Amino acid sequence: MKNKQIFLRMVLLHWCLLWLLFPLSSRTQKLPTRDEELFQMQIRDKAFFHDSSVIPDGAEISSYLFRDTPKRYFFVVEEDNTPLSVTVTPCDAPLEWKLSLQELPEDTSGEGSGDLEPLEQQKQQIINEDGTELFSYKGNDVEYFISSSSPSGLYQLDLLSTEKDTHFKVYATTTPESDQPYPELPYDPRVDVTSLGRTTVTLAWKPSPTASLLKQPIQYCVVINKEHNFKSLCAVEAKLSADDAFMMAPKPGLDFSPFDFAHFGFPSDNSGKERSFQAKPSPKLGRHVYSRPKVDIQKICIGNKNIFTVSDLKPDTQYYFDVFVVNVNSNMSTAYVGTFARTKEEAKQKTVELKDGKVTDVFVKRKGAKFLRFAPVSSHQKVTFFIHSCLDAVQIQVRRDGKLLLSQNVEGIQQFQLRGKPKAKYLIRLKGNKKGASMLKILATTRPTKQSFPSLPEDTRIKAFDKLRTCSSATVAWLGTQERNKFCIYKKEVDDNYNEDQKRREQNQCLGPDIRKKSEKVLCKYFHSQNLQKAVTTETIKGLQPGKSYLLDVYVIGHGGHSVKYQSKVVKTRKFC
């Protein structure tokens, strides 16, 4: 009796699938011909219309979606406790997809006789149930559903593209452990840039275990473009394909030509008289009607090497690099985590001219160098260089008429006074460090009394008084100098997990208060003291919220308007008072 029930259930399962799929040929796979009678004539020609709504077990299918037109697929699991894996790969457009389990009607009657329920009752029972949603996703990532033990039944996959017409791929299997059609990625799936030149970039990545452990033939394909990284080889091929031009072509009220369908994977045979369309005739070579500029993308398959040098690139240009490992037997692929890099710029020793008494902004790339030239127009006894390194330390070298006068690392604000010489010319070389790019301000003058930089104390920290903290205020202090300067203090609420690394990233001392919001300003005031031990000021910041963290910044503004930021300080108000 048990075997009979299983047999009857399987018969019912297959019958239900066929019954569900029958109306789909005119409902879910409808092409937007806008002429229903003409469309019905088209789908009667099976050589012309050969898509299916059944996903085969263990085979990847490729299909398409028209924008805002949903599509539905079915997959049969015949026995309970069966492993199940479903993978959906979007191609060049995000997808919305959902996997649900369609419950089957009971295969026995209420009396337990083993007889099937009446046909119409079974059909009504299936169509009235929405099924159980198992998984849903929205985006352009390659996403999958996997279960080690799934019930038998009819699994329903619904897909939708809201952005544009697009291709996609689906793979479903009940034997995921033995199939392994997609190549595996190593424990570190990143692509690394190991060498960077003006026209070349060398890439390296760890090999796929599919070749070494599973002994399956694989090859790597490298993709280079200037727009973005790709998440699947399918998306790359969609971009490379001329079909991309066709995808933009359909307009409401226009029919498609057989030529168009041929490029969507349909037969290109135009001999059938039944396929004479009523729309405007398309020339045999009329593809140019939908032509678009050629995409700037390269795909190079390199065999099983895991290092590759890309050449013939443009200097000072950002490129995106992706690597895909392809199973040669199944032609299915997996994407490594891509990377990007900017090629080096042309070697040009451009020299910046410094004007006497004028502040100049300078940007130095990581490990890079900048050259500046200062040629005083009048005779002079001394030359003073004021340097403000906004971030990390920068190395400065000064030569006078070719002779090295100064070589030193600079942090914060420093000044150097050198002996002058009639008609002398000074060459300044600034070299960035290994940590990152450097930003700085430099002023060269033969009249040091008219400087734009404010004087700073040796210690530019902000001190917070813990005992004076309340639920709504914090008291801080900072040092000044003998010179009278204007000081402005600003506050900004930050998260409790605001750490030293985040604070360091905001330590660009050259960014002035003009970039801050007005609501963050606390106050501005002037102060100084001839006695440096007394050149200290305190301030109580009020109106704060209990248990909140605040980032405090103090700016000192010189006579020429140039500002320097003290080291930021994070304070937290008391939670209970």
Side-chain angles (χ1 to χ4, degrees):
M1 174 64 72
K2 184 177 179 181
N3 290 337
K4 180 183 177 182
Q5 289 181 350
I6 293 175
F7 174 77
L8 291 173
R9 183 173 177 84
M10 293 314 305
V11 171
L12 176 60
L13 178 62
H14 286 285
W15 179 90
C16 293
L17 178 59
L18 292 173
W19 182 85
L20 280 170
L21 294 182
F22 176 75
L24 288 173
S25 61
S26 60
R27 185 173 72 241
T28 61
Q29 299 192 40
K30 182 176 179 179
L31 296 174
T33 334
R34 309 302 190 273
D35 185 338
E36 188 64 23
E37 197 173 77
L38 178 60
F39 173 68
Q40 293 297 334
M41 176 272 292
Q42 293 166 6
I43 64 171
R44 281 196 295 271
D45 187 339
K46 294 193 171 21
F48 179 80
F49 192 94
H50 58 83
D51 201 5
S52 170
S53 289
V54 182
I55 303 173
D57 193 333
E60 185 178 59
I61 65 169
S62 299
S63 192
Y64 61 91
L65 280 171
F66 288 109
R67 183 172 62 86
D68 294 330
T69 303
K71 203 163 194 177
R72 177 171 293 172
Y73 287 89
F74 295 94
F75 184 79
V76 177
V77 174
E78 297 182 351
E79 296 180 7
D80 287 330
N81 302 318
T82 298
L84 174 62
S85 175
V86 178
T87 303
V88 177
T89 302
C91 301
D92 85 328
L95 294 181
E96 299 178 27
W97 64 273
K98 177 180 71 173
L99 182 69
S100 55
L101 172 60
Q102 182 69 57
E103 295 293 340
L104 294 173
E106 294 295 329
D107 55 356
T108 59
S109 64
E111 289 74 30
S113 64
D115 296 329
L116 291 174
E117 293 180 353
L119 185 63
E120 290 302 318
Q121 187 176 345
Q122 296 166 9
K123 290 164 63 176
Q124 191 64 33
Q125 187 172 352
I126 292 174
I127 203 166
N128 285 345
E129 294 183 1
D130 292 331
T132 303
E133 182 177 318
L134 303 175
F135 185 80
S136 64
Y137 175 73
K138 182 178 181 181
N140 57 1
D141 280 331
V142 179
E143 195 57 76
Y144 61 90
F145 166 83
I146 189 164
S147 172
S148 59
S149 179
S150 296
S152 64
L154 190 63
Y155 288 77
Q156 178 177 302
L157 177 66
D158 296 286
L159 303 105
L160 177 68
S161 173
T162 58
E163 283 194 10
K164 64 175 181 176
D165 304 342
T166 185
H167 291 266
F168 65 92
K169 292 185 178 183
V170 176
Y171 178 83
T173 179
T174 54
T175 54
E177 289 296 325
S178 59
D179 282 5
Q180 295 186 333
Y182 294 96
E184 289 187 47
L185 293 177
Y187 70 93
D188 181 1
R190 294 174 298 179
V191 178
D192 295 317
V193 175
T194 60
S195 178
L196 189 63
R198 287 186 289 273
T199 60
T200 61
V201 173
T202 300
L203 308 170
W205 56 92
K206 293 180 173 59
S208 165
T210 298
S212 56
L213 299 179
L214 303 179
K215 305 300 181 183
Q216 294 184 17
I218 58 101
Q219 72 168 340
Y220 298 101
C221 293
V222 180
V223 174
I224 310 105
N225 80 105
K226 297 179 184 178
E227 295 181 5
H228 55 76
N229 288 110
F230 288 90
K231 298 182 178 180
S232 70
L233 195 55
C234 167
V236 174
E237 291 165 349
K239 196 77 172 177
L240 283 169
S241 174
D243 290 340
D244 219 33
F246 166 64
M247 298 292 273
M248 296 182 63
K251 302 293 181 184
L254 295 179
D255 294 326
F256 300 111
S257 73
F259 180 86
D260 296 329
F261 281 117
H263 287 266
F264 246 141
F266 288 85
S268 58
D269 178 21
N270 296 330
S271 59
K273 293 182 179 179
E274 288 186 22
R275 298 182 211 167
S276 59
F277 288 78
Q278 305 301 319
K280 296 179 181 180
S282 296
K284 290 183 179 179
L285 299 177
R287 193 71 172 171
H288 67 274
V289 174
Y290 308 123
S291 64
R292 300 196 328 181
K294 187 178 180 180
V295 291
D296 190 5
I297 180 172
Q298 269 187 293
K299 173 190 166 189
I300 308 167
C301 294
I302 61 170
N304 58 8
K305 297 183 299 180
N306 64 319
I307 186 169
F308 181 69
T309 298
V310 186
S311 57
D312 298 326
L313 303 176
K314 294 182 179 179
D316 196 25
T317 303
Q318 182 154 301
Y319 289 91
Y320 295 84
F321 305 95
D322 293 287
V323 173
F324 301 89
V325 52
V326 183
N327 187 317
V328 176
N329 290 336
S330 66
N331 204 33
M332 297 167 77
S333 60
T334 307
Y336 278 70
V337 178
T339 187
F340 60 90
R342 177 174 288 273
T343 51
K344 292 184 177 180
E345 61 184 1
E346 291 284 5
K348 294 180 180 178
Q349 298 259 336
K350 186 177 180 181
T351 302
V352 178
E353 292 286 343
L354 296 178
K355 294 185 178 180
D356 196 336
K358 184 178 179 181
V359 176
T360 300
D361 295 314
V362 182
F363 175 81
V364 184
K365 292 184 177 181
R366 176 176 173 268
K367 296 183 179 180
K370 277 287 177 70
F371 294 86
L372 304 98
R373 182 174 174 270
F374 180 54
V377 294
S378 58
S379 59
H380 57 283
Q381 293 182 339
K382 294 180 181 180
V383 170
T384 305
F385 292 94
F386 294 90
I387 308 223
H388 183 186
S389 181
C390 310
L391 296 170
D392 295 316
V394 66
Q395 185 190 61
I396 179 173
Q397 288 184 347
V398 180
R399 295 178 184 271
R400 185 186 62 200
D401 298 334
K403 182 181 179 181
L404 182 64
L405 301 180
L406 173 70
S407 181
Q408 189 171 330
N409 286 338
V410 175
E411 286 186 277
I413 290 183
Q414 291 189 32
Q415 74 176 58
F416 307 97
Q417 196 169 72
L418 305 176
R419 187 183 301 275
K421 187 178 180 181
K423 297 181 181 181
K425 293 180 176 59
Y426 300 86
L427 182 66
I428 303 100
R429 180 179 183 265
L430 301 169
K431 185 178 180 181
N433 57 47
K434 297 179 181 179
K435 293 182 181 179
S438 301
M439 296 177 63
L440 54 102
K441 292 178 180 288
I442 183 169
L443 180 146
T445 180
T446 56
R447 296 166 291 174
T449 54
K450 295 184 178 181
Q451 59 151 312
S452 300
F453 286 62
S455 56
L456 288 175
E458 290 184 2
D459 189 348
T460 59
R461 293 176 298 174
I462 302 172
K463 177 177 174 56
F465 298 95
D466 185 67
K467 292 183 179 180
L468 299 180
R469 279 190 309 133
T470 71
C471 291
S472 60
S473 67
T475 301
V476 295
W478 64 91
L479 297 177
T481 62
Q482 293 176 330
E483 181 183 354
R484 187 171 183 264
N485 283 317
K486 179 182 179 181
F487 295 85
C488 295
I489 186 166
Y490 285 73
K491 64 175 174 61
K492 181 174 72 172
E493 185 178 334
V494 294
D495 295 330
D496 289 336
N497 58 359
Y498 191 87
N499 54 39
E500 288 300 316
D501 286 340
Q502 289 173 296
K503 188 167 73 174
R504 185 174 57 83
R505 285 195 293 268
E506 293 194 13
Q507 282 303 311
N508 186 342
Q509 291 187 329
C510 294
L511 296 178
D514 53 318
I515 68 165
R516 303 295 295 265
K517 296 178 181 178
K518 290 184 178 180
S519 59
E520 296 176 358
K521 183 177 179 180
V522 178
L523 58 85
C524 291
K525 68 178 183 180
Y526 290 86
F527 87 94
H528 71 290
S529 176
Q530 293 300 321
N531 185 348
L532 286 178
Q533 293 183 347
K534 294 182 179 180
V536 59
T537 184
T538 61
E539 197 61 45
T540 299
I541 300 145
K542 301 178 181 179
L544 308 180
Q545 298 297 316
K548 299 291 184 181
S549 296
Y550 292 87
L551 180 72
L552 303 181
D553 286 309
V554 170
Y555 298 86
V556 54
I557 303 169
H559 300 302
H562 181 71
S563 64
V564 180
K565 186 170 73 169
Y566 277 50
Q567 298 178 40
S568 299
K569 180 71 176 179
V570 175
V571 297
K572 187 174 183 178
T573 55
R574 298 189 185 277
K575 197 170 185 179
F576 304 102
C577 294

